[in-house]
């Protein structure tokens, strides 16, 4: 085995049970990493046991967890590993990933770990630039509301920080909130009302446009974000576009893999 082939990258995602969401987002991030590191093999692991179980039982698809993937890499003769998460923040899932890596410190000559999407102020600025560029076709008199997942973890502050960064950079019509934490949809309704747009666009601020995007954001239920904004009197357009579909976001993950520590 050559020196180069002894190095590999483990791409770690939460996962999704939706085939289209996986292909448009997780697969494309991994393809971007593969193109950027052609001399390295790229492995996959998903942190959600529930999703891995569902795919195994429903589709007969087996996906490794972090530990299983690292054992596979060791058996394949990999000696130097870069672990690159596709998580949005250093929250619960990322901490879970780090704990699963720890027992393998002595199994490889080197294990480097890349940062999640939003780990620094530089990341927030770059993500804000990507968002502003990707949604530049939305007129200033209309609003774009992005649904993040949200978490009870202290890392939840990244959503508010990104919202502030967007406003500071001139994207006053882009609002960032969360499905399960702060800023909530109630907070966003008040902020959007103060902006007085003529229409509202909804899109997920999640790696994949999966269950939350299909149900909590754009679903027909009275509590979905689409229903809440329609009830408030706005025409609503839903965009089922996960972050993995943004070229600029994929490049951020590649940069983090290069900067892994």
């Amino acid at each position: 085995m050559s020196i180069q082939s002894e190095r590999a990258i483990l791409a770690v995602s939460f996962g999704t049970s939706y085939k289209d969401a996986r292909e448009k987002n997780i697969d494309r991030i991994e393809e971007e990493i593969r193109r950027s590191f052609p001399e390295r093999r790229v492995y996959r692991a998903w942190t959600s046991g529930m999703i891995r179980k569902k795919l195994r039982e429903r589709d007969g698809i087996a996906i490794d967890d972090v530990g299983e993937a690292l054992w596979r890499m060791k058996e394949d003769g990999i000696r130097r590993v870069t672990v690159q998460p596709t998580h949005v923040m250093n929250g619960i899932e990322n901490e879970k990933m780090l704990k699963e890596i720890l027992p393998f410190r002595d199994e490889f000559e080197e294990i480097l770990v890349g940062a999640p999407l939003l780990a620094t102020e530089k990341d927030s600025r770059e993500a804000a630039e990507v968002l502003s560029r990707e949604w530049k076709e939305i007129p200033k008199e209309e609003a774009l509301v992005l649904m993040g997942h949200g978490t009870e973890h202290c890392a939840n502050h990244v959503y508010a920080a990104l919202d502030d960064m967007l406003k500071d950079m001139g994207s006053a019509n882009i609002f960032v909130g969360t499905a399960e934490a702060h800023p909530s949809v109630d907070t966003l309704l008040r902020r959007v009302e103060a902006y007085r747009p003529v229409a509202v666009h909804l899109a997920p601020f999640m790696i994949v446009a999966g269950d939350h995007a299909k149900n909590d954001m754009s679903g027909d239920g009275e509590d979905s974000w689409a229903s809440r904004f329609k009830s408030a009197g706005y025409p609503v357009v839903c965009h089922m576009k996960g972050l993995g579909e943004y070229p600029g976001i994929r490049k951020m993950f590649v940069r983090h893999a290069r900067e892994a520590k």
Side-chain angles (χ1 to χ4, degrees):
M1 182 177 283
S2 69
I3 294 297
Q4 284 188 325
S5 63
E6 292 175 355
R7 301 180 66 91
I9 296 174
L10 175 59
V12 180
S13 302
F14 178 78
T16 178
S17 61
Y18 293 92
K19 183 174 181 288
D20 61 334
R22 185 197 74 228
E23 292 174 343
K24 291 178 180 178
N25 297 278
I26 297 175
D27 288 359
R28 292 182 71 181
I29 293 171
E30 292 175 359
E31 287 165 8
E32 188 86 31
I33 292 172
R34 215 170 267 114
R35 281 195 300 270
S36 302
F37 299 90
E39 76 286 358
R40 303 192 202 183
R41 198 166 158 186
V42 177
Y43 293 74
R44 164 185 286 177
W46 288 4
T47 56
S48 174
M50 181 178 67
I51 290 175
R52 293 196 315 274
K53 181 175 184 288
K54 183 173 183 176
L55 287 184
R56 187 170 58 248
E57 295 176 350
R58 186 190 69 188
D59 305 326
I61 297 175
I63 296 178
D64 290 338
D65 63 22
V66 173
E68 290 166 343
L70 288 170
W71 278 121
R72 189 182 303 277
M73 296 170 84
K74 180 176 171 60
E75 290 172 357
D76 287 347
I78 303 301
R79 296 165 61 185
R80 292 178 171 84
V81 177
T82 296
V83 179
Q84 180 54 53
T86 69
H87 302 140
V88 171
M89 68 184 76
N90 188 21
I92 294 170
E93 291 301 316
N94 212 64
E95 289 186 348
K96 175 182 172 183
M97 177 197 76
L98 293 172
K99 288 178 182 177
E100 292 176 338
I101 293 170
L102 283 176
F104 291 87
R105 284 177 300 180
D106 298 328
E107 301 293 337
F108 297 92
E109 291 184 16
E110 178 182 71
I111 299 183
L112 304 177
V113 181
L117 183 66
L118 301 179
T120 65
E121 182 178 337
K122 176 183 177 181
D123 294 335
S124 293
R125 182 170 297 279
E126 187 172 347
E129 290 172 351
V130 170
L131 291 168
S132 298
R133 187 165 61 246
E134 287 289 328
W135 298 102
K136 63 183 179 182
E137 301 302 324
I138 294 180
K140 289 298 182 182
E141 63 269 20
E142 300 178 10
L144 170 65
V145 179
L146 298 168
M147 174 192 270
H149 186 280
T151 175
E152 60 188 20
H153 193 280
C154 61
N156 191 74
H157 70 84
V158 299
Y159 297 109
L162 179 60
D163 187 271
D164 287 343
M165 187 70 73
L166 284 160
K167 303 297 188 295
D168 287 344
M169 294 172 63
S171 295
N173 67 327
I174 302 181
F175 301 82
V176 183
T178 72
E180 298 185 359
H182 178 80
S184 67
V185 66
D186 293 314
T187 299
L188 290 174
L189 281 163
R190 290 193 295 272
R191 292 177 180 176
V192 169
E193 182 181 5
Y195 187 76
R196 302 177 67 84
V198 299
V200 170
H201 297 258
L202 298 177
F205 187 77
M206 304 178 192
I207 298 303
V208 304
D211 192 62
H212 281 293
K214 294 177 188 292
N215 296 301
D216 299 329
M217 186 189 83
S218 61
D220 295 328
E222 62 181 19
D223 291 331
S224 76
W225 284 26
S227 296
R228 294 290 304 277
F229 278 97
K230 286 176 183 175
S231 295
Y234 302 103
V236 174
V237 180
C238 293
H239 303 268
M240 303 302 288
K241 181 177 181 179
L243 293 178
E245 297 184 58
Y246 297 54
I249 295 295
R250 297 197 297 269
K251 291 184 186 306
M252 287 181 67
F253 284 122
V254 169
R255 174 172 66 80
H256 286 179
R258 293 194 191 282
E259 297 172 349
K261 299 177 182 179

